[in-house]
Amino acid sequence: GCWNRWRHRNRVAQGTDFCSQPFASLKMPVYRDEAVIIRTHKLGEADRIVTMLSRYHGLIRAVAKGVRRTTSKFGSRLEPFMVVDIQLHEGRNLDTVNQVETLNAYGGQIIEDYPAYTSATVMVETAEKLASGETSPQQYLLLVGGLRALANKDHDSSLILDSYLLRALSVAGWAPNFTDCARCGKPGLHQDFVLQAGGMVCGDCRIAGAVKLNEASARLLGALLAGDWEFADKTDESTRASASGVVAAYSQWHIERGLKSLQHVERT
């Protein structure tokens, strides 16, 4: 008995006796953040695994317990394209959702319009792949702005998508060049786009495989990157289709494994 009491006191002094640790030290850390719901997966009979892009904690995967039950208080708030204020318990592999408040409910408006829905699906897939566990408030704000524009029908959905893709890639460090030559820096509005060079090139720097664009398409690409909606909204379908092909190719070139949802987007 004396030996066991001495061993117990020694463990407590060294902090190795689990039963003697204060209860507060056993609690999981709790944190709160804003987030966009990207996708969900069923777990068990009533739970869901929720993937979200947060403003300050990057990409988060968490378990929402009981949200598939009809009595759940926040099940409808954890649907794709919803912007929420969320509180979570930090876990070893997956965090646990503790509380959710809706900030902006874009899901209903987006799902009602097929072009907007497919565009939003590409946007959240892009955000998930570009996040890669790193904190990026810019990517979060960019995604929220894109979903808001789709829900409110501020512009044509294909223009919103292409503008988002170009800006998201720029934030990630792959900003395309649609003005001066991407190889030699020669000023002017050029007509050849080279993926490997990251933008438009002049006639002297043109290589095999370059995409020939007319002046309107080249200007549209620059307008989408800069947010010049006054010019973008006035372009015709042919110009938009030509620019969209360049954006799609440039996005898939830089994003690993490509964008699976991009094949479902309707292009004129």
Side-chain angles (χ1 to χ4, degrees):
C2 294
W3 167 251
N4 289 333
R5 285 196 298 272
W6 177 87
R7 185 170 60 177
H8 173 71
R9 287 196 300 269
N10 188 46
R11 287 179 176 175
V12 172
Q14 296 177 359
T16 57
D17 192 288
F18 178 80
C19 295
S20 303
Q21 297 297 313
F23 178 74
S25 65
L26 301 179
K27 291 183 178 179
M28 294 183 292
V30 178
Y31 65 97
R32 193 164 191 157
D33 205 343
E34 299 175 14
V36 176
I37 307 302
I38 292 179
R39 55 189 172 87
T40 64
H41 290 93
K42 293 181 180 180
L43 179 65
E45 296 182 356
D47 304 339
R48 274 200 180 107
I49 296 178
V50 183
T51 302
M52 64 195 88
L53 179 65
S54 68
R55 184 167 187 172
Y56 300 111
H57 294 83
L59 199 65
I60 299 173
R61 296 182 74 243
V63 175
K65 296 183 178 180
V67 294
R68 290 163 56 200
R69 296 194 180 100
T70 55
T71 56
S72 174
K73 296 180 180 179
F74 49 78
S76 60
R77 303 172 190 173
L78 295 174
E79 294 294 337
F81 318 133
M82 301 289 281
V83 183
V84 297
D85 184 325
I86 191 165
Q87 180 175 295
L88 305 105
H89 285 296
E90 187 176 338
R92 180 176 298 179
N93 297 317
L94 294 173
D95 297 344
T96 303
V97 177
N98 184 40
Q99 185 178 353
V100 183
E101 294 181 7
T102 301
L103 295 179
N104 291 292
Y106 298 134
Q109 295 167 282
I110 290 175
I111 291 174
E112 290 176 353
D113 182 29
Y114 183 75
Y117 171 73
T118 54
S119 296
T121 302
V122 176
M123 290 163 63
V124 294
E125 182 185 356
T126 302
E128 181 179 6
K129 291 188 175 182
L130 292 179
S132 66
E134 298 181 1
T135 302
S136 179
Q138 287 181 291
Q139 291 286 7
Y140 168 79
L141 294 174
L142 187 63
L143 179 60
V144 172
L147 295 177
R148 182 189 301 115
L150 286 175
N152 296 335
K153 296 180 172 55
D154 292 339
H155 311 281
D156 184 82
S157 59
S158 64
L159 292 178
I160 296 173
L161 172 60
D162 290 340
S163 180
Y164 169 80
L165 290 173
L166 292 175
R167 295 185 186 187
L169 290 169
S170 298
V171 172
W174 298 308
N177 185 359
F178 298 123
T179 53
D180 301 338
C181 178
R183 285 181 173 267
C184 67
K186 182 179 179 180
L189 187 64
H190 307 292
Q191 297 183 342
D192 296 301
F193 183 85
V194 178
L195 285 174
Q196 300 89 325
M200 308 298 291
V201 298
C202 63
D204 296 333
C205 297
R206 188 181 187 277
I207 62 174
V211 179
K212 179 71 71 174
L213 296 174
N214 56 38
E215 181 178 345
S217 298
R219 288 188 61 192
L220 175 58
L221 289 169
L224 292 174
L225 180 60
D228 184 1
W229 292 107
E230 184 177 356
F231 176 83
D233 289 335
K234 295 178 180 178
T235 55
D236 56 33
E237 295 295 340
S238 176
T239 301
R240 296 179 186 181
S242 179
S244 293
V246 171
V247 175
Y250 189 73
S251 301
Q252 306 233 52
W253 172 269
H254 286 290
I255 297 177
E256 186 178 358
R257 296 185 301 276
L259 297 169
K260 295 180 180 179
S261 54
L262 192 59
Q263 62 183 319
H264 300 293
V265 176
E266 291 184 346
R267 300 290 192 183
T268 303

